[in-house]
Amino acid sequence: MQLTLWTYEGPPHIGAMRIATAMTGLHYVLHAPQGDTYADLLFTMIERRDARPPVTYTTFRAQDLGRDTAELFKTSVAAAYARFQPQAMIVGASCTAELIQDDPGGLAKALNLPIPVIPLELPAYQKKENWGASETFYRLVRALAGAPGARAAREPGRRPLCNILGPTALGFRHRDDLIEIRRLLDSLGIDVNVVAPLGAAPADLGRLKDADFNVVLYPETARSAAEYLKKSFGQPFTQVVPIGVGGTRRFVEEVAALAGLDPAPVLDGPGSRLPWYSRSVDSTYLTGKRVFVFGDATHAIGLARIAARELGFKVVGLGTYSREFAREVRAEAAELGLEALITDDYLDVEAAIRAAAPELVLGTQMERHVAKRLGIPCAVISAPIHVQDFPARYAPQMGFEGANVLFDTLVHPLMMGLEEHLLGMFREDPEFHDGVGPSHLGGTPVAAPPPQAAPAPEAAPAPIHLDHPVSVAVAPWAPEAEKELKKIPFFVRGKARTNTERFARERQLPLITLETLYDAKAHYGR
Amino acid sequence: MNAPVPPPTACGGIDLHQEHGQRAVFCGLTGIVWLHRKIQDAFFLVVGSRTCAHLIQSAAGVMIFAEPRFATAIINERDLAGIADANEELDRVVTRLIERRPDIKLLFLVGSCPSEVIKLDLSRAAQRLSGRLNPVRVLNYSGSGIETTFTQGEDACLAALVPDLPRESDTAAPSLLVVGALADVVEDQFLRIFAAMGIADVRFLPARRAGAMPAVGRGTRYLLAQPFLADTARALEERGARRLPAPFPLGAEGTTGWLRAAAEAFGISDDTFEAATAPGRARAETALAPLRGELGGKRVFFFPDSQLEVPLARFLARELGAELVEVGTPYLHRGHLAAEIEWLPAGTRVTEGQSLDDQMDRCRAARPDLTVCGLGLANPLEAEGLSTKWSIELLFTPVQGYEQAGDLAELFARPLRRRALLEV
């Protein structure tokens, strides 16, 4: 048993729902107890969908267990077929139905419906949402893509043709990423054959094999299906995820190579504003800002690269809750000189954020709240997300426009360079003392509890960033050192305090003096 | 599903139907979201699957970030291998939890569909852990979807508390017990009215703290504040308490009827009752009057959700002049709702149970002015041009009593007003 408060991912049947809801003409019959219909509201509320997800639940109850839940499942499938007349169906069990061991696949088969009915095996006690989405999409493609075989050669003169794989319902910015990538492919001279699962019908999956290659936008959902298509129809698929300017450029090169086209027109085109914005002098203050990145593997890797290479931040933590992609994240972290954090326990993530003392957190909904508690600026870069991250405006993460969006997203939570300079200059003004939080966070900063051991000679201002391990004694601050500390701009004061105290602790100094403060400053630099 | 609908049965003057099929409702686990706010030193540990954890997370919204006093012990494959192992695992998880939250005085082990289906004996686990964690009390109840619908989770929780309540001596003076979680502010309002009537000994179940749960005995007279407390009422009867039949305190009329039941049982004179309730009734009337124009004549359709549907429909029909197209309820307790059923307009269609797609067909055909439904249905119906009021808010918002009558009507009026305001 695992004690859980917050989960980054739902159970695997939620992943299957994300595929079913993304598609048209497909219906999902889920053998599930009453109550599991809560999942509908993720789609109708968070993503604000205007129709119910195409899911029929058997909603069995205790009194049904004594009777025949298998019969209930069969009548549910028959009724759903009669009512919705889908092109294909998927059937499966949620966690409880997995325990009662009815066989959805076999039961549905017995009905002999005139459409493909694809059974899903989603082990609810082992796997999670993203795996469920990936497996469902893979099963659908396997069942509906047709018999494996060689592709017909492309007709001379026809533009190269690709599929776009991966966008789902409830995906973080999938809607707009798709628009952006379609535009990019079009300007390269590549046509899109099928986009799946988002917007595809089961019949469309039968046309997947007509494409020359596959573009995999989200490996979490589409890599298994792409591997199957490669094996069955010899379609190569893209490995580069087009997040960031560098990612997009490498993606353009990769796609152009797969299509046998020249990437130069797109690479030499207007591109993104990010490179110039990042070079403009206002961005100088971004240099070396400490940033902590956590999310699904695709976004965590993509954002760590942007942070380090395109914005000049220092990545001080990188992690993911996607165990399936732990290897990729570990490799990326190693390149940054870090050890990746692979966990689905938000308390571990919170501890890692505290330990890394970042100036910016990039993460999910949960990291947003952790950062709020710690008073650290934050931006959301990955699912799970709440309703505000399904915005009405155009807000892709991928491609050149995505890079523009990300520049703004990552920089806005921080103080702009000029603002930071002015705040430092006027720090003695009544508006800018450390009791006033940065306005974008609203209200007062959340003060961490003051050090428990060895009280300072005079009341210490509450540190902004970090609290201290209770077990370790902190050397007291001499009054003149404490006074000097207050002259340091408040937004770096917390770190100065932490560094100085660590410096003093490591050298077992009995008192933190003015000299200790500046020795520590020289030692750690900035 | 889509089973033939049995013929209507007579029940009061209403047109009662029973329906079987797909149900779009929460399970009883959802009750934790408000119960943990009410009992301030209790912790709710769901023993279930990742689905259970995901459900509570989705239902609790931003509350999940406020160090709430609930969590899920997620059963994994190793636990499924052998039940003995699962018990050891549960003990380990609970011990760790109590170490981390030493402020917890009462721990509920909440059963789920998976724990019920594998027959993990949580009542024995609760006994075992109660002995071991003394003085922390450990109780259990089921909030599983196979056994409970939404608010029935509160019923199961309160029913689990009843055997544990202190015993009131048989010779003690009669006391009044109000049963059902109410917002603190509503409790305090009721306390003031009861005091004005001269009923001094009023207790609430659940109490705000584990150590302050009310005593029960043969002198206890109880008023249900909520319509979904069948098992709790039964457990209280077994302890010798007697129910005061009453409507539910929704709207001015419901509140008056509810208070009057107590006044009659405690021999309060009409004059005293009038004096105690007149100011509240007058204020409720002031608050409701302007809303009659907005809701009068509006056709309302209720999907089943919380069992509050019948009293809410009664309030809308009688105090605001709305018309009732259909009143869906997950379960209709004929006894506890006798006064409410009596008050519903004759011929009102009441549907017990649900066949979701059929009910949606009826709703679309009727095109009501306002549809009261869950969040999985609200946006899809709005997109079809129907105004909706999402029903869960009626559980989280203080709606009982005189002072809230206007707020309650306002919850129904706002979607209609908004639709009229929007030009695009």
Side-chain angles (χ1 to χ4, degrees):
Chain A
M1 270 177 208
Q2 185 199 357
L3 187 61
T4 310
L5 176 54
W6 166 268
T7 65
Y8 284 96
E9 292 181 72
H13 72 259
I14 300 288
M17 282 186 73
R18 287 176 50 193
I19 303 296
T21 308
M23 291 179 63
T24 61
L26 179 73
H27 201 85
Y28 184 16
V29 179
L30 183 61
H31 205 14
Q34 167 179 267
D36 278 12
T37 52
Y38 81 88
D40 282 0
L41 70 87
L42 303 173
F43 299 89
T44 60
M45 294 305 293
I46 294 179
E47 202 178 4
R48 295 188 214 247
R49 285 194 168 251
D50 61 2
R52 288 189 58 231
V55 182
T56 294
Y57 305 80
T58 55
T59 58
F60 57 82
R61 292 185 288 157
Q63 66 242 45
D64 302 314
L65 291 178
R67 297 180 216 149
D68 200 350
T69 50
E71 194 55 38
L72 178 64
F73 181 78
K74 275 165 71 173
T75 47
S76 297
V77 174
Y81 174 72
R83 179 179 283 271
F84 299 104
Q85 297 284 313
Q87 292 176 18
M89 282 173 112
I90 47 179
V91 296
S94 80
C95 51
T96 304
E98 188 181 330
L99 297 173
I100 61 176
Q101 295 183 333
D102 291 333
D103 168 22
L107 292 167
K109 200 173 168 197
L111 287 171
N112 216 4
L113 296 176
I115 53 164
V117 178
I118 298 137
L120 300 174
E121 293 284 341
L122 304 175
Y125 298 90
Q126 266 181 308
K127 303 288 190 181
K128 290 182 280 189
E129 178 177 331
N130 281 340
W131 186 89
S134 175
E135 172 72 6
T136 303
F137 187 44
Y138 164 73
R139 290 286 156 196
L140 278 164
V141 168
R142 224 186 123 105
L144 301 172
R151 274 175 306 132
R154 186 168 20 135
E155 290 164 33
R158 210 198 66 190
R159 299 215 310 176
L161 196 60
C162 73
N163 302 311
I164 300 179
L165 306 181
T168 65
L170 265 191
F172 178 62
R173 308 293 168 86
H174 288 194
R175 177 196 70 195
D176 296 344
D177 284 349
L178 182 57
I179 296 170
E180 191 62 21
I181 295 308
R182 270 177 175 281
R183 185 151 54 194
L184 203 56
L185 293 168
D186 185 56
S187 55
L188 273 167
I190 299 167
D191 286 335
V192 175
N193 179 45
V194 173
V195 176
L198 192 62
D204 294 326
L205 300 186
R207 298 189 294 110
L208 283 169
K209 59 177 178 294
D210 300 340
D212 301 314
F213 63 96
N214 288 313
V215 169
V216 172
L217 288 191
Y218 310 101
E220 277 91 344
T221 28
R223 187 189 280 173
S224 317
E227 274 165 359
Y228 174 78
L229 291 168
K230 184 178 179 188
K231 205 172 69 187
S232 303
F233 305 108
Q235 290 169 330
F237 62 92
T238 59
Q239 308 290 331
V240 178
V241 176
I243 294 181
V245 175
T248 303
R249 293 179 69 89
R250 284 185 292 116
F251 173 80
V252 167
E253 285 164 5
E254 185 186 30
V255 166
L258 288 175
L261 295 168
D262 179 11
V266 169
L267 294 181
D268 297 344
S272 166
R273 286 178 209 101
L274 183 147
W276 166 241
Y277 269 51
S278 198
R279 276 165 210 282
S280 97
V281 292
D282 187 62
S283 297
T284 312
Y285 79 105
L286 298 176
T287 314
K289 284 265 187 205
R290 299 164 60 80
V291 55
F292 188 99
V293 186
F294 192 85
D296 66 25
T298 299
H299 288 91
I301 292 172
L303 267 293
R305 284 183 189 162
I306 295 183
R309 299 174 197 179
E310 300 182 13
L311 291 170
F313 291 146
K314 180 174 173 54
V315 179
V316 294
L318 174 60
T320 184
Y321 56 82
S322 316
R323 284 185 193 280
E324 295 90 344
F325 289 81
R327 195 191 311 154
E328 286 84 343
V329 178
R330 284 204 180 93
E332 189 66 27
E335 270 190 43
L336 294 161
L338 295 167
E339 192 177 335
L341 175 69
I342 314 293
T343 181
D344 58 2
D345 185 341
Y346 81 94
L347 292 172
D348 292 349
V349 181
E350 180 169 343
I353 292 175
R354 280 175 182 272
E359 291 160 279
L360 175 67
V361 173
L362 305 178
T364 72
Q365 195 60 225
M366 194 60 214
E367 283 68 49
R368 190 167 73 84
H369 285 268
V370 169
K372 192 183 253 178
R373 257 203 297 271
L374 300 176
I376 308 172
C378 175
V380 171
I381 52 104
S382 161
I385 44 195
H386 208 54
V387 61
Q388 69 267 32
D389 281 300
F390 286 93
R393 67 178 187 280
Y394 186 56
Q397 303 284 288
M398 293 184 169
F400 292 131
E401 184 57 28
N404 295 341
V405 168
L406 285 171
F407 180 89
D408 291 346
T409 307
L410 269 53
V411 170
H412 280 182
L414 300 167
M415 273 171 284
M416 303 299 283
L418 186 61
E419 197 177 319
E420 183 162 326
H421 174 72
L422 290 175
L423 278 174
M425 225 160 81
F426 299 125
R427 65 176 181 265
E428 301 302 335
D429 281 16
E431 286 88 350
F432 295 125
H433 63 87
D434 54 354
V436 180
S439 59
H440 60 273
L441 292 176
T444 49
V446 180
Q452 305 266 310
E458 59 176 87
I464 293 177
H465 283 315
L466 283 177
D467 59 3
H468 304 259
V470 180
S471 53
V472 182
V474 176
W477 286 70
E480 79 277 7
E482 188 78 44
K483 226 168 118 189
E484 194 75 3
L485 180 70
K486 284 185 183 159
K487 296 179 189 168
I488 297 171
F490 67 82
F491 40 86
V492 288
R493 195 179 304 154
K495 193 165 69 157
R497 175 185 284 279
T498 314
N499 281 349
T500 308
E501 288 174 355
R502 176 148 61 117
F503 184 83
R505 198 164 53 236
E506 282 166 8
R507 282 155 191 77
Q508 299 186 324
L509 303 178
L511 184 72
I512 296 174
T513 63
L514 205 53
E515 284 70 31
T516 320
L517 178 66
Y518 284 111
D519 287 346
K521 184 172 188 294
H523 179 77
Y524 289 108
R526 193 189 133 69
Chain B
M1 60 183 291
N2 292 356
V5 176
T9 35
C11 183
I14 59 170
D15 176 20
L16 180 64
H17 297 255
Q18 276 167 340
E19 202 168 38
H20 305 282
Q22 185 184 184
R23 297 161 71 103
V25 286
F26 281 122
C27 63
L29 294 182
T30 327
I32 291 170
V33 178
W34 65 86
L35 284 168
H36 90 281
R37 307 295 308 158
K38 188 70 211 174
I39 314 176
Q40 292 159 13
D41 49 5
F43 194 101
F44 294 79
L45 180 66
V46 178
V47 183
S49 64
R50 181 167 298 280
T51 311
C52 307
H54 195 237
L55 159 92
I56 296 179
Q57 174 171 322
S58 308
V62 290
M63 250 190 239
I64 199 89
F65 301 112
E67 290 286 323
R69 281 170 283 102
F70 54 80
T72 308
I74 294 186
I75 298 170
N76 54 32
E77 275 202 315
R78 291 192 319 115
D79 303 308
L80 295 177
I83 302 297
D85 189 20
N87 279 316
E88 279 168 33
E89 282 288 293
L90 186 60
D91 290 6
R92 179 182 62 78
V93 165
V94 168
T95 307
R96 182 166 163 230
L97 178 71
I98 294 298
E99 278 167 11
R100 265 174 45 179
R101 298 295 299 263
D103 50 326
I104 297 308
K105 302 285 189 291
L106 174 62
L107 175 69
F108 286 102
L109 301 178
V110 188
S112 65
C113 302
S115 74
E116 298 291 333
V117 167
I118 64 171
K119 302 209 184 321
L120 184 57
D121 191 341
L122 290 185
S123 71
R124 263 182 47 205
Q127 274 177 17
R128 184 176 67 236
L129 285 162
S130 258
R132 213 161 89 191
L133 298 172
N134 189 37
V136 177
R137 196 84 186 89
V138 186
L139 296 176
N140 81 289
Y141 71 90
S142 170
S144 75
I146 57 177
E147 289 169 321
T148 58
T149 303
F150 194 27
T151 48
Q152 285 179 320
E154 176 175 331
D155 187 27
C157 173
L158 300 191
L161 277 170
V162 171
D164 225 42
L165 296 177
R167 207 178 105 86
E168 183 85 301
S169 105
D170 288 353
T171 54
S175 63
L176 179 62
L177 180 64
V178 174
V179 187
L182 293 168
D184 290 355
V185 59
V186 177
E187 275 186 10
D188 294 343
Q189 290 165 7
F190 284 149
L191 270 179
R192 286 196 293 270
I193 299 175
F194 286 128
M197 293 196 304
I199 306 176
D201 190 0
V202 183
R203 304 152 186 192
F204 291 89
L205 181 69
R208 296 178 199 183
R209 308 203 73 86
M213 291 297 166
V216 186
R218 302 181 72 84
T220 305
R221 301 288 174 266
Y222 70 93
L223 267 178
L224 293 179
Q226 301 281 15
F228 43 74
L229 297 172
D231 289 350
T232 307
R234 198 173 309 129
L236 285 167
E237 302 277 337
E238 279 167 19
R239 297 280 311 259
R242 288 288 162 264
R243 182 172 74 90
L244 304 177
F248 292 91
L250 294 165
E253 194 182 33
T255 303
T256 303
W258 188 75
L259 292 168
R260 189 184 299 281
E264 281 170 5
F266 285 79
I268 309 300
S269 75
D270 283 355
D271 288 351
T272 310
F273 182 76
E274 277 302 309
T277 56
R281 275 182 294 152
R283 280 196 297 272
E285 175 54 31
T286 309
L288 287 172
L291 290 154
R292 277 189 196 119
E294 290 185 75
L295 288 162
K298 292 289 186 292
R299 300 168 62 250
V300 185
F301 192 110
F302 280 87
F303 277 80
D305 188 52
S306 62
Q307 299 183 46
L308 282 165
E309 296 82 3
V310 168
L312 288 170
R314 177 267 301 164
F315 164 67
L316 284 177
R318 287 171 64 104
E319 296 192 46
L320 293 152
E323 268 180 52
L324 303 175
V325 179
E326 175 169 338
V327 181
T329 179
Y331 175 66
L332 186 70
H333 193 296
R334 312 312 190 257
H336 290 178
L337 283 156
E340 297 286 352
I341 292 169
E342 189 73 19
W343 270 353
L344 276 183
T348 300
R349 181 188 165 110
V350 177
T351 309
E352 185 181 16
Q354 186 173 31
S355 170
L356 176 63
D357 289 313
D358 295 330
Q359 195 166 35
M360 286 185 82
D361 285 348
R362 291 198 300 276
C363 181
R364 287 175 181 127
R367 294 208 66 80
D369 296 304
L370 186 67
T371 303
V372 185
C373 62
L375 287 174
L377 303 179
N379 269 338
L381 291 173
E382 289 280 351
E384 294 181 24
L386 296 173
S387 282
T388 61
K389 166 70 215 117
W390 49 284
S391 50
I392 305 156
E393 194 176 14
L394 299 159
L395 260 297
F396 294 109
T397 312
V399 292
Q400 293 85 358
Y402 291 126
E403 316 303 340
Q404 282 67 238
D407 302 346
L408 179 56
E410 173 67 24
L411 289 178
F412 294 102
R414 196 176 300 142
L416 298 174
R417 198 178 306 150
R418 180 166 185 77
R419 182 161 286 258
L421 275 174
L422 299 180
E423 291 181 4
V424 292

